[in-house]
Amino acid sequence: MNDALEKFKLQHFKTYKNAIIDHIKNNTNVLTDEDITSLLGKPPLDSMDAIKSRFLSLAKKNKIILDTESLSSMLDEYRDTLLKCVKKIKKVRSEDLIKKVDAYSDTDCDVVIKLLKKDFSDVNKKIKKILKDQFEVATKKLDKQYVNVFSEDVSDDIKNKIITDISKFVSKTYEKQLLENIDIKILIKDTTLINLVKEQTERYLFTLNNSRLFKDNI
């Protein structure tokens, strides 16, 4: 193989590799900035706020009126705390997947880059731990603020009953549902990225095998 062809092939491979890295960054940005953020953030409508709806339902059942301003403020702070993990998730996923791509040598133009389902396993475990740790932090803060939504004339029995119910709902049902929904979003993005890498590889091989530039220099 002459020097010119070697140079063209190396440049072609680097372009191919960089395109895949761009796919990883863009795919991760959509996952974190859109998918996960929309799930952890404040719902667009109050009627979609499962925690607030649960709280108001329990208040109605026990014939008391809650301080809705304090309730809203408390839930906003809870969700702001959850959202603090998004940047970390983005960093971990991008860096881990790019590291797998960077493991392919720039000088080995005879290989193709692959991202398989097993390649996402470790990074998804890290993401799940980040989320669970952040839920724990946010929930502990929330537990300390529940009393702020009750007026002074509400009995301790009713307060404790409602707090026990809502605390269990948030830490069990709500958290489980959110994590399951996030898992689905991650699975979709992982599958999308795998397919994007395959498509990029097909374009790379097609050009490599059919371009006159490479054939004329053989």
Side-chain angles (χ1 to χ4, degrees):
M1 184 186 297
N2 61 48
D3 290 342
L5 177 57
E6 178 70 14
K7 183 179 179 180
F8 285 134
K9 288 190 72 173
L10 286 175
Q11 185 57 52
H12 184 46
F13 185 81
K14 286 180 182 179
T15 300
Y16 160 57
K17 189 174 180 178
N18 288 333
I20 289 177
I21 289 173
D22 284 341
H23 281 313
I24 290 172
K25 291 178 180 177
N26 293 334
N27 179 275
T28 300
N29 287 342
V30 174
L31 173 65
T32 55
D33 300 351
E34 296 180 21
D35 295 343
I36 294 178
T37 295
S38 66
L39 288 170
L40 296 182
K42 183 178 179 180
L45 300 173
D46 277 351
S47 59
M48 297 169 68
D49 190 332
I51 302 177
K52 179 178 281 189
S53 295
R54 182 83 173 197
F55 235 127
L56 295 175
S57 176
L58 290 168
K60 184 177 180 180
K61 183 178 179 181
N62 287 276
K63 299 178 181 179
I64 63 168
I65 296 175
L66 299 176
D67 182 341
T68 53
E69 187 174 333
S70 293
L71 177 58
S72 295
S73 177
M74 178 181 73
L75 295 181
D76 285 346
E77 184 177 346
Y78 167 71
R79 293 191 169 97
D80 286 344
T81 302
L82 288 180
L83 287 168
K84 288 180 180 179
C85 70
V86 172
K87 287 184 179 179
K88 188 174 182 180
I89 291 172
K90 181 191 293 189
K91 185 173 185 291
V92 166
R93 189 173 188 267
S94 288
E95 289 184 354
D96 279 24
L97 294 178
I98 290 172
K99 191 179 296 182
K100 292 181 184 296
V101 174
D102 276 336
Y104 288 86
S105 172
D106 286 346
T107 59
D108 192 356
C109 305
D110 295 324
V111 301
V112 293
I113 298 170
K114 295 180 180 179
L115 281 181
L116 306 174
K117 287 183 180 180
K118 64 179 182 180
D119 292 322
F120 293 87
S121 179
D122 289 341
V123 68
N124 287 343
K125 285 178 182 177
K126 290 181 183 180
I127 291 173
K128 186 167 287 188
K129 185 177 188 309
I130 291 170
L131 284 164
K132 287 191 173 182
D133 288 348
Q134 199 64 30
F135 267 110
E136 186 176 348
V137 171
T139 302
K140 282 182 179 179
K141 289 178 67 175
L142 192 60
D143 284 341
K144 295 176 182 179
Q145 298 180 53
Y146 285 138
V147 294
N148 297 333
V149 304
F150 299 101
S151 60
E152 293 180 358
D153 60 345
V154 177
S155 70
D156 288 340
D157 285 344
I158 291 178
K159 286 181 185 177
N160 291 335
K161 183 168 67 172
I162 292 176
I163 289 173
T164 298
D165 185 296
I166 201 71
S167 180
K168 183 178 178 181
F169 172 75
V170 171
S171 63
K172 302 293 182 182
T173 307
Y174 186 74
E175 180 178 332
K176 182 182 177 183
Q177 288 175 347
L178 270 184
L179 289 175
E180 286 176 349
N181 287 334
I182 291 173
D183 279 344
I184 292 170
K185 296 291 187 182
I186 290 173
L187 177 60
I188 292 171
K189 286 299 177 291
D190 288 353
T191 303
T192 300
L193 185 53
I194 288 171
N195 290 333
L196 285 171
V197 172
K198 287 179 180 177
E199 290 172 8
Q200 197 69 47
T201 297
E202 289 172 1
R203 286 196 287 271
Y204 166 72
L205 290 175
F206 180 84
T207 303
L208 190 64
N209 295 324
N210 295 279
S211 172
R212 181 175 297 177
L213 177 66
F214 296 114
K215 286 185 176 182
D216 288 351
N217 282 279
I218 293 176

